[in-house]
Structure formats: C-alpha cells, structure tokens
Amino acid sequence: MFAIDVDPGSVELGDHILLDGVYYPIKDMRSVGFGEKLLFLDGRSPWRMAGSTRMYRPKKRKTVQLESGPR
C-alpha cells in the first residue's frame, strides 16, 4: 500500500484509513453533503470524511496478456 492524500471526491472503495492505530478498508460510501462522504468501514462504525484525508491505497497489480498461441 502507499499513502495518498485524497479529498472526498476521489476516495475509492478498497482504500484504507488509519483510525486509532488500525487500518480499516472502505467497503461502501455515501455522499452526505457538498464535499463530504460517509465511509462504511469493515469492522468499525461509519466515519464522516469532511475534507482531505490521508488514505492508504493498495498498489494495482499489472497484468500482462499472453498470446494465445504461435503465429
């Protein structure tokens, strides 16, 4: 994972937030006003995101498509 500062408009499902020393993955989210989101976390009560916040995003795996056979 890598750290990234995001605003409520660019937070993604699967991002993690560090609260009380625990990394919680974001499982769902809802807009709750201009520039705010309610984040539903795995294993914790919902958390209101009202501005730019440090998130931890998993690195995306690169995929390579293999050729299907000889030419």
Side-chain angles (χ1 to χ4, degrees):
M1 283 195 283
F2 62 95
I4 184 172
D5 292 325
V6 298
D7 59 39
S10 59
V11 66
E12 297 178 2
L13 294 178
D15 284 351
H16 290 68
I17 186 166
L18 179 63
L19 299 171
D20 303 322
V22 178
Y23 292 93
Y24 293 97
I26 299 169
K27 295 295 183 182
D28 200 4
M29 62 183 117
R30 301 281 186 269
S31 292
V32 290
F34 182 74
E36 293 187 21
K37 290 230 172 132
L38 187 62
L39 305 180
F40 295 91
L41 309 172
D42 190 18
R44 189 177 194 278
S45 58
W47 187 80
R48 190 178 196 117
M49 182 179 181
S52 183
T53 304
R54 169 90 19 124
M55 294 286 169
Y56 298 86
R57 190 165 284 174
K59 292 183 180 179
K60 304 250 189 248
R61 293 181 182 233
K62 293 182 182 180
T63 57
V64 177
Q65 188 169 10
L66 301 176
E67 294 182 27
S68 59
R71 292 182 181 197

